[in-house]
């Protein structure tokens, strides 16, 4: 959560920082701010405002900032202190010559604040962050340079942090630090300029040569390059920039009104690219080249445990089916935030598969630490090359969805499912659970999905009508069985986060054990009733709802006239092989949630209270 950007080089910093903040706004949109080291010298110039970047733009328009070639910027998702101008980052110390931006939580901030106040520091905000600025100021006052002062300061902080700082005492320099899983610090290498950011997205317009700070690393940048250290003061090992293949154009909205609509529509290409990265049809071959040290474990493990959060957890739930059905391995899923605190019983016999599009979700990273401490081999499914999950895991299966900017995930959901399908196939192959012919059939089936999803996206028949019905509803029940259960959960998640309509995803078999009490003419149900989703059982659920005057929107296979007649409304999906039905079934639900949110006038790319990457617990 929170977006960070820093620039130093030969260009004017302010436009670069403000453009970077717009690229980072999905990280949080409670307030935004920048600080510049003026070319003419003197204290940093700070501008910050509550609200979105547009408010900051207006403030800078009214009161222009001085010319500067070094600066930092921040977009905030509030933790300590309400969204306000005073609580917005950047924060300064008492003397105003140190300025910092921060992502994370200073867990001992109350004690630090009391201690600093006793020593005469005056605080201007209610944030935990401001204590860092005052500590840094003291460390500089005692003769340290900025890098050493940052190291000394970090040693005082409890909790996970990502911090970037400037001081007028060292013009042209910015220092960044990462402790724990508060979020990435990515170093961008430009021509005669250097950048730092919480995300690749903000760096791609300037460079594709990047390095990710590891846990407990510090970096100092000036226009000539970067030097790295660890928190204990030794030179950091192996920090080499790598060239990422992500396309900066994928950061644009293009002709679409929202990133989310663009990303929904990009799913055929994202699926095709992910397929192309992980397998070939002729010959039918899997090319999972990044499994690294995890590869030999595919043969040895006795079970698979898949962890993730939110949409990625729902993808993991589909993956569980794949490991069981294709590889015939016992498989289970767990919410990463629950898993980590349960003292789970596992060891080298369990392959832990984490799913995280960002690779930076704190709960997932903490779960991976627990798994590592237990000796379990790990593979991560991830859309962000170089991110923290890819560094912690023994191996990775990358998805090739391109940048996802909408806070609500869409294309990273479907591509994660494709990657899990590939990993289950590879596991089945090395364990001798699948013949060459079966492998070839599964590969052909997945290869056909981009075109099928593309055809689905050509026509939104019936969705506008359903969205208009849901525009005024208060609650919706989403029911699914088997592989359609994760799709019911994901459909409900999309609906609530985009449209703010209360939506519950439920196992259809559970309906009679409680939720059926809710059914009345004002409480509609979306029933996942594709041909493979235990259709006959779902038919009974629909009958039971209709018998109680409940309204049903059924997601059915094309040509299923019996169900179309039984439900009040139906949206159709093309017939596809059983294991891939989740990929087809989610498409109308993504569009339905989008259209409902649009009809209700919601901010689709930046739903209230949310942030794209969740780096605080
Ligand atoms: C849902 O639309 C969200 N974007 C959210 O549930 C997300 O899937 C979750 O926060 C996990 O993120 P990750 O994939 O980056 O780990």
């Amino acid at each position: 959560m929170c977006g960070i950007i820093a620039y130093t080089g030969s260009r004017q910093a302010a436009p670069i920082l403000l453009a970077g903040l717009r690229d980072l706004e999905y990280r949080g949109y409670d307030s935004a701010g920048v600080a510049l080291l003026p070319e003419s010298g003197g204290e940093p110039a700070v501008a910050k405002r509550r609200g979105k970047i547009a408010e900051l733009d207006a403030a800078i328009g009214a009161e222009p900032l001085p010319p500067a070639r070094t600066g930092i910027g921040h977009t905030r998702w509030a933790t300590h202190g309400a969204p306000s101008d005073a609580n917005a980052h950047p924060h300064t110390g008492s003397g105003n010559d140190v300025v910092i931006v921060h992502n994370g939580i200073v867990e001992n901030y109350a004690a630090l604040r009391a201690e600093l106040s006793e020593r005469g520091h005056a605080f201007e905000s209610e944030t935990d962050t401001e204590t860092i600025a005052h500590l840094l100021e003291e460390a500089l006052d005692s003769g340290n340079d900025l890098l050493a002062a940052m190291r000394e300061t970090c040693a005082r902080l409890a909790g996970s942090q990502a911090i970037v700082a400037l001081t007028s005492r060292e013009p042209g320099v910015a220092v960044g630090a990462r402790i724990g899983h508060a979020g990435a610090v990515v170093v961008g290498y430009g021509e005669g300029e250097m950048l730092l950011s919480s995300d690749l997205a903000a760096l791609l317009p300037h460079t594709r040569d990047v390095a990710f700070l590891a846990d407990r690393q510090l970096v100092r940048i000036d226009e000539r390059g970067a030097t790295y250290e660890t928190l204990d003061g030794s030179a950091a090992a192996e920090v080499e920039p790598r060239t990422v293949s992500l396309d900066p154009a994928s950061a644009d909205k293009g002709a679409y009104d929202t990133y989310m609509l663009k990303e929904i529509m990009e799913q055929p290409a994202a699926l095709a690219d992910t397929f192309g990265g992980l397998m070939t049809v002729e010959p039918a071959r899997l090319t999972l080249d990044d499994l690294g040290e995890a590869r030999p474990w595919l043969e040895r493990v006795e079970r698979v445990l898949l962890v993730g959060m939110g949409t990625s957890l729902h993808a993991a739930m589909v993956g569980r089916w794949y490991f069981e059905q294709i590889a015939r391995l016992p498989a289970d899923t767990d919410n990463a935030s629950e898993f980590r605190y349960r003292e789970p019983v596992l060891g080298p016999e369990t392959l832990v598969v984490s799913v995280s599009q960002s690779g930076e979700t704190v709960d997932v990273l903490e779960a991976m630490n627990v798994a590592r401490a237990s000796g379990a081999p790990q593979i991560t499914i991830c859309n962000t090359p170089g991110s923290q999950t890819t560094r912690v895991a023994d191996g990775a299966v990358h998805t090739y969805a391109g940048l996802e900017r909408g806070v609500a995930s869409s294309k990273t959901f479907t591509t994660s499912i494709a990657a899990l399908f590939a990993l289950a196939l590879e596991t089945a192959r090395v364990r001798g659970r699948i013949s060459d012919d079966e492998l070839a059939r599964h590969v052909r089936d997945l290869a056909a999905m981009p075109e099928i999803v593309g055809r689905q996206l050509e026509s939104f028949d019936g969705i506008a009508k359903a969205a208009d019905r849901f525009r005024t509803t208060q609650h919706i029940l989403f029911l699914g069985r088997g592989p359609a259960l994760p799709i019911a959960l994901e459909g409900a998640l999309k609906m609530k986060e985009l449209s703010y309509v209360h939506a519950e995803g439920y196992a259809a078999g559970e309906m009679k054990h409680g939720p059926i009490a809710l059914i009345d003419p004002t409480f509609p149900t979306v029933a996942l009733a594709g041909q493979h989703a235990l259709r006959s059982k779902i038919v009974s659920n629909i009958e039971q709802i209709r018998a109680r005057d409940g309204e049903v929107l059924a997601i059915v296979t094309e040509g299923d006239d019996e169900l179309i007649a039984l439900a009040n409304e139906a949206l159709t999906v093309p017939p596809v092989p059983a294991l891939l039905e989740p990929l087809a079934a989610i498409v109308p639900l993504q569009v339905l949630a989008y259209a409902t949110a649009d009809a209700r006038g919601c901010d689709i790319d930046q739903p209230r209270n949310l942030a794209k990457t969740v780096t605080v617990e």
Side-chain angles (χ1 to χ4, degrees):
M1 308 178 121
C2 299
I4 289 176
I5 175 97
Y7 174 85
T8 186
S10 53
R11 294 189 281 163
Q12 282 300 310
I16 294 169
L17 298 176
L18 288 166
L21 288 182
R22 277 188 279 278
D23 283 335
L24 294 171
E25 207 168 18
Y26 63 11
R27 302 277 308 210
Y29 21 88
D30 290 331
S31 62
V34 293
L36 302 173
L37 290 181
E39 281 174 31
S40 55
E43 287 178 356
V46 179
K48 50 188 195 173
R49 280 294 180 279
R50 179 193 167 150
K52 297 195 175 181
I53 314 287
E55 306 294 327
L56 178 65
D57 279 337
I60 293 173
E63 207 173 316
L65 289 162
R69 296 171 196 276
T70 303
I72 53 178
H74 187 270
T75 176
R76 179 171 187 241
W77 188 88
T79 59
H80 293 58
S84 69
D85 290 355
N87 290 337
H89 300 213
H91 288 284
T92 55
S94 304
N96 288 340
D97 63 346
V98 178
V99 66
I100 70 148
V101 290
H102 170 229
N103 191 0
I105 295 176
V106 181
E107 290 172 3
N108 55 338
Y109 87 100
L112 290 172
R113 194 172 168 125
E115 174 194 320
L116 285 157
S117 300
E118 256 176 45
R119 291 203 291 272
H121 289 264
F123 284 80
E124 290 182 357
S125 76
E126 304 152 314
T127 63
D128 55 330
T129 300
E130 197 185 341
T131 55
I132 306 174
H134 290 270
L135 287 172
L136 199 57
E137 182 176 48
E138 283 194 345
L140 284 165
D141 285 345
S142 54
N144 291 297
D145 64 14
L146 185 58
L147 187 62
M150 180 66 92
R151 196 171 54 238
E152 206 170 290
T153 299
C154 287
R156 301 288 325 274
L157 307 176
S160 289
Q161 332 288 343
I163 308 164
V164 177
L166 304 175
T167 172
S168 48
R169 305 177 206 195
E170 286 179 56
V173 172
V175 164
R178 174 177 187 152
I179 316 171
H181 303 318
V185 178
V186 195
V187 184
Y189 289 72
E191 294 282 327
E193 59 187 20
M194 293 291 294
L195 299 104
L196 300 175
S197 181
S198 50
D199 288 53
L200 278 176
L203 300 182
L204 289 178
H206 309 288
T207 180
R208 290 192 197 178
D209 296 330
V210 300
F212 282 73
L213 278 198
D215 186 11
R216 305 186 66 74
Q217 267 183 2
L218 305 163
V219 63
R220 175 194 185 278
I221 58 165
D222 60 28
E223 63 183 3
R224 291 181 304 279
T227 48
Y228 296 87
E229 268 190 14
T230 61
L231 276 188
D232 65 14
S234 50
E238 291 177 44
V239 187
E240 284 298 322
R242 52 189 285 172
T243 304
V244 291
S245 57
L246 285 168
D247 175 9
S250 67
D252 292 337
K253 258 188 252 178
Y256 294 98
D257 289 344
T258 60
Y259 285 114
M260 174 138 198
L261 185 56
K262 173 178 176 253
E263 287 155 6
I264 290 173
M265 300 304 284
E266 279 175 350
Q267 287 181 109
L271 280 168
D273 289 348
T274 299
F275 178 88
L278 302 178
M279 55 187 95
T280 59
V281 185
E282 229 19 280
R285 211 161 54 84
L286 297 162
T287 54
L288 276 60
D289 297 333
D290 298 314
L291 290 179
E293 290 174 14
R295 178 172 281 286
W297 290 97
L298 294 184
E299 236 180 306
R300 288 182 218 151
V301 292
E302 292 162 24
R303 66 176 187 130
V304 181
L305 181 67
L306 300 106
V307 296
M309 297 299 290
T311 293
S312 290
L313 176 59
H314 299 152
M317 291 169 78
V318 178
R320 171 193 179 177
W321 272 78
Y322 294 162
F323 279 102
E324 286 181 341
Q325 302 279 316
I326 303 173
R328 301 306 296 155
L329 253 180
D332 215 339
T333 52
D334 211 339
N335 176 302
S337 66
E338 292 296 316
F339 168 83
R340 60 171 294 210
Y341 288 116
R342 228 187 26 242
E343 298 187 34
V345 180
L346 78 165
E349 77 298 334
T350 302
L351 172 67
V352 172
V353 177
S354 58
V355 185
S356 175
Q357 75 81 22
S358 63
E360 298 289 346
T361 298
V362 65
D363 291 308
V364 176
L365 288 166
E366 295 294 351
M368 291 176 76
N369 283 346
V370 170
R372 190 171 49 182
S374 314
Q378 300 199 57
I379 293 173
T380 192
I381 309 289
C382 188
N383 194 47
T384 310
S387 62
Q388 194 63 6
T389 59
T390 65
R391 302 165 74 113
V392 175
D394 304 298
V397 182
H398 292 286
T399 53
Y400 299 89
L403 289 177
E404 187 175 70
R405 306 287 301 273
V407 166
S409 302
S410 53
K411 62 179 179 172
T412 56
F413 177 65
T414 41
T415 52
S416 293
I417 290 175
L420 287 159
F421 190 70
L423 182 59
L425 287 176
E426 179 69 351
T427 309
R429 190 188 68 77
V430 300
R431 296 172 78 93
R433 284 283 183 181
I434 193 170
S435 69
D436 289 349
D437 284 352
E438 284 169 318
L439 177 67
R441 177 173 54 79
H442 285 305
V443 167
R444 279 197 308 275
D445 287 347
L446 187 62
M449 288 311 295
E451 200 201 322
I452 291 171
V453 170
R455 267 189 276 122
Q456 286 183 272
L457 290 168
E458 277 167 17
S459 145
F460 296 141
D461 279 355
I463 290 186
K465 189 173 169 203
D468 193 50
R469 161 70 187 92
F470 289 167
R471 187 171 56 85
T472 51
T473 199
Q474 302 291 315
H475 313 277
I476 308 172
L477 190 62
F478 284 71
L479 294 182
R481 284 179 187 261
L485 171 58
I487 302 308
L489 298 174
E490 177 60 9
L493 176 60
K494 290 284 91 81
M495 184 61 80
K496 59 190 148 199
E497 68 182 334
L498 289 177
S499 73
Y500 314 145
V501 173
H502 171 225
E504 285 294 335
Y506 247 95
E510 188 75 15
M511 187 187 79
K512 290 191 291 299
H513 301 273
I516 198 165
L518 296 166
I519 298 298
D520 70 17
T522 69
F523 198 127
T525 299
V526 175
L528 274 294
Q531 61 184 335
H532 304 295
L534 298 167
R535 180 186 171 285
S536 60
K537 304 282 178 196
I538 279 278
V539 169
S540 309
N541 290 122
I542 295 174
E543 299 271 18
Q544 290 149 12
I545 294 166
R546 296 295 319 271
R548 286 157 182 84
D549 291 332
E551 234 179 90
V552 175
L553 169 68
I555 311 299
V556 305
T557 309
E558 282 165 12
D560 191 339
D561 295 335
E562 184 199 354
L563 267 177
I564 292 172
L566 184 62
N568 299 77
E569 299 291 339
L571 299 174
T572 59
V573 294
V576 295
L579 291 170
L580 297 176
E581 197 166 67
L583 284 178
I586 192 57
V587 173
L589 298 189
Q590 291 171 338
V591 180
L592 177 64
Y594 186 97
T596 306
D598 199 31
R600 288 166 63 91
C602 299
D603 185 340
I604 288 172
D605 279 337
Q606 294 176 349
R608 70 184 173 212
N609 305 336
L610 292 177
K612 180 75 181 159
T613 307
V614 181
T615 54
V616 293
E617 282 190 76

